[in-house]
C-alpha cells in the first residue's frame, strides 16, 4: 500500500501532466508552472516546480499557501478527508484502490484514520469558493430569471468541485453553485452543492448530467440557506421553503423579506424559528414530500404561537412562475396571498 509520500512522489514524476490536468488555466514558464491560484484562475501568483529535487512542490506567493502535489489535488478538487485525496490521486495515476481503504498519511501502527466533522469539511469547502458574480453559477441562475443572486453572501462558486459517484465510486469534478447553510447566529453548519454542466450545452447552463447533481454536506437540521436574514435583530416575518431556486425566485420580487431555503421537506419541517417571529410564509411544493414539510412546519409554528401562511405558485413552482409568467404576474399573485401590511412592506411593485 502506497504511503502519502509515495503518492506525492508518483505525482511529482510527471508534475507537468498533473498541472495541465488540475491547473489548466496556467502555463509552463521554464521549469515552473504558473497560474493564479488553487482555484485555477488565470495569473502568475502560484508556481509549481516541474523539475529537479523540488519537483511537485508549489507556493502561492499571494496567499502564502504551499505544499506538494497531493496538497494541490486536495485544494483544487475541494477535498477534505485524506482518503478522498488519496483516491483522487490514485485515479489520476491509474493505480488500483487498496482494500480496505485506510488512512495513508503514515504507517497503520502509529496513525489512525482522521475523520474531520462534516461541518468542518463544509466550512473548508466554502472557504475555497469564489464570488458568484459573472461565474457559470451566476449564468445558471440568470437563465432561470434570478438576476440578483450575486448580492447574496450565502451563494458562491467553485470552478472544479469534487464529485464521487456513490454507486461506482468513480471520482470527477464539475463547476458548482455552493450555498452556505447557517444557523440562527450566522455560523456555517453545512453547504449545498449544485453541480453544473460546463456551459457548452446548446440549451445553456444546466445541472451536470450525473445521478444526483444536488448534494448537501454538514448540519442541515434546524438550519438553512438564508437570504436577507439578519443575525442580530429579531425576525418578525420570514418566508421558508425547500429549494434554493424557489426561495431565490421569491426574493427576486420580495428583496426585503428574510428568507430561508431548508433544502429538503424533512428539514423544512424541523426548521428552527428565529426569536420574535410572528408570521412565517411557507412556499408550497406540489409533491407529497413537500406537503409533509409544509404540514410539519405549520404545526410547529402554531405550537410556538407563530402564524403560518402558505404561499402557492400558479405553475409547478415559484421559479416556473418567475420564468414563464414574469415578475409582474408573480408579484400580483403574491400580493393576493400576503397580509396587507406585508404586501406594502415587501413587494417591489
Amino acid at each position: 500500500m502506497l504511503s502519502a509520500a509515495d503518492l506525492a512522489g508518483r505525482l511529482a514524476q510527471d508534475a507537468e501532466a498533473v498541472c495541465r490536468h488540475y491547473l489548466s488555466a496556467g502555463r509552463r514558464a521554464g521549469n515552473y508552472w504558473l497560474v493564479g491560484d488553487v482555484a485555477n484562475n488565470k495569473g502568475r501568483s502560484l508556481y509549481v516546480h516541474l523539475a529537479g529535487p523540488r519537483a511537485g512542490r508549489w507556493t502561492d506567493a499571494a496567499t502564502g499557501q504551499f505544499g506538494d502535489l497531493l496538497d494541490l489535488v486536495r485544494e483544487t478538487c475541494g477535498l477534505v478527508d485524506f482518503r478522498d485525496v488519496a483516491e483522487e490521486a490514485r485515479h489520476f495515476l491509474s493505480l488500483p484502490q487498496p482494500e480496505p481503504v485506510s488512512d495513508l498519511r503514515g504507517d497503520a501502527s502509529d496513525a489512525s484514520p482522521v475523520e474531520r466533522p462534516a461541518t468542518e469539511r463544509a466550512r473548508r469547502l466554502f472557504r475555497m469558493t469564489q464570488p458568484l458574480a459573472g461565474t457559470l453559477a451566476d449564468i445558471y441562475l440568470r437563465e432561470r430569471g434570478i438576476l440578483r443572486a450575486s448580492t447574496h453572501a450565502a451563494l458562491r462558486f467553485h470552478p472544479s468541485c469534487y464529485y464521487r459517484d456513490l454507486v461506482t465510486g468513480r471520482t470527477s469534478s464539475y463547476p458548482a453553485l455552493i450555498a452556505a447553510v447557517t444557523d440562527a447566529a450566522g455560523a456555517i453548519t453545512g453547504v449545498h452543492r449544485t453541480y453544473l454542466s460546463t456551459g457548452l450545452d446548446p440549451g445553456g447552463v444546466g445541472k451536470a448530467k450525473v445521478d444526483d447533481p444536488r448534494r448537501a454536506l454538514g448540519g442541515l437540521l434546524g438550519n438553512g440557506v438564508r437570504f436577507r436574514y439578519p443575525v442580530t435583530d429579531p425576525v418578525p416575518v420570514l418566508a421558508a421553503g425547500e429549494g434554493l431556486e424557489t426561495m431565490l425566485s421569491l426574493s427576486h420580487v420580495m428583496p426585503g423579506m428574510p428568507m430561508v431555503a431548508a433544502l429538503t421537506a424533512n428539514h423544512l419541517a424541523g426548521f428552527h424559528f428565529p426569536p420574535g417571529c410572528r408570521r412565517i410564509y411557507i412556499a408550497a411544493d406540489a409533491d407529497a414530500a413537500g406537503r409533509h414539510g409544509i404540514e410539519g412546519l405549520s404545526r410547529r409554528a402554531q405550537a410556538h404561537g407563530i402564524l403560518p401562511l402558505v404561499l402557492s405558485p400558479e405553475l409547478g413552482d415559484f421559479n416556473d412562475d418567475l420564468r414563464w409568467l414574469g415578475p409582474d404576474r408573480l408579484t400580483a399573485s403574491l400580493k393576493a396571498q400576503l397580509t396587507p401590511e406585508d404586501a406594502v412592506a415587501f413587494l417591489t411593485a
Side-chain angles (χ1 to χ4, degrees):
M1 181 176 64
L2 293 177
S3 68
D6 292 330
L7 282 172
R10 291 282 191 96
L11 292 170
Q13 289 174 14
D14 201 356
E16 184 173 348
V18 176
C19 291
R20 290 188 180 279
H21 181 77
Y22 293 102
L23 297 174
S24 57
R27 62 182 180 85
R28 180 164 185 157
N31 287 328
Y32 297 93
W33 188 266
L34 304 180
V35 72
D37 51 36
V38 292
N40 198 27
N41 292 307
K42 291 183 178 181
R44 298 169 57 89
S45 173
L46 189 151
Y47 58 93
V48 185
H49 295 265
L50 300 179
R54 291 185 57 78
R57 306 296 298 184
W58 60 274
T59 301
D60 189 331
T63 67
Q65 289 176 283
F66 63 92
D68 59 22
L69 290 179
L70 271 184
D71 297 315
L72 188 68
V73 169
R74 181 193 68 221
E75 296 289 344
T76 57
C77 293
L79 305 176
V80 178
D81 289 341
F82 183 76
R83 63 182 61 192
D84 292 334
V85 180
E87 181 178 340
E88 174 65 18
R90 287 176 174 278
H91 179 71
F92 178 84
L93 295 167
S94 300
L95 295 175
Q97 295 295 325
E99 292 290 345
V101 176
S102 61
D103 183 56
L104 302 177
R105 275 292 184 189
D107 184 81
S109 62
D110 58 15
S112 57
V114 176
E115 287 289 344
R116 292 183 177 90
T119 293
E120 180 184 343
R121 293 162 55 200
R123 290 172 179 169
R124 180 177 177 82
L125 175 56
F126 196 74
R127 288 196 298 268
M128 296 171 64
T129 59
Q130 63 190 60
L132 188 72
T135 66
L136 201 66
D138 193 15
I139 296 171
Y140 167 80
L141 292 171
R142 283 179 173 274
E143 289 179 351
R144 282 145 188 81
I146 300 165
L147 306 181
R148 295 186 289 270
S150 61
T151 65
H152 297 293
L155 301 179
R156 304 272 292 183
F157 176 67
H158 196 300
S160 185
C161 192
Y162 171 81
Y163 178 86
R164 173 195 262 169
D165 189 303
L166 300 179
V167 176
T168 67
R170 292 183 180 276
T171 61
S172 54
S173 60
Y174 296 90
L177 168 65
I178 308 294
V181 177
T182 57
D183 62 17
I188 294 177
T189 63
V191 292
H192 183 270
R193 296 154 289 180
T194 303
Y195 292 96
L196 304 174
S197 65
T198 61
L200 301 178
D201 296 346
V205 181
K207 289 187 278 293
K209 294 178 174 60
V210 293
D211 287 340
D212 47 352
R214 298 182 188 271
R215 286 187 179 175
L217 169 69
L220 272 63
L221 185 60
N223 305 314
V225 182
R226 300 169 198 262
F227 309 115
R228 303 287 187 266
Y229 199 108
V231 296
T232 56
D233 301 326
V235 183
V237 180
L238 78 152
E242 288 185 52
L244 285 176
E245 291 167 31
T246 289
M247 302 315 296
L248 285 169
S249 298
L250 289 174
S251 184
H252 183 79
V253 297
M254 295 191 292
M257 181 179 285
M259 300 200 180
V260 61
L263 303 176
T264 73
N266 285 335
H267 290 108
L268 178 62
F271 175 68
H272 291 165
F273 303 110
C277 185
R278 300 195 307 268
R279 284 187 299 283
I280 182 167
Y281 291 98
I282 308 173
D285 197 322
D287 61 20
R291 291 193 294 274
H292 163 76
I294 293 170
E295 292 167 0
L297 186 60
S298 296
R299 286 194 299 269
R300 291 184 52 249
Q302 291 171 338
H304 283 78
I306 299 169
L307 175 64
L309 298 168
V310 177
L311 299 177
S312 299
E314 294 188 63
L315 302 178
D317 58 43
F318 284 109
N319 190 238
D320 286 344
D321 283 9
L322 178 63
R323 294 171 68 187
W324 305 116
L325 302 180
D328 291 343
R329 176 77 170 266
L330 176 55
T331 297
S333 174
L334 291 171
K335 185 176 182 179
Q337 300 182 64
L338 299 179
T339 66
E341 61 184 294
D342 291 338
V344 170
F346 297 113
L347 285 174
T348 57

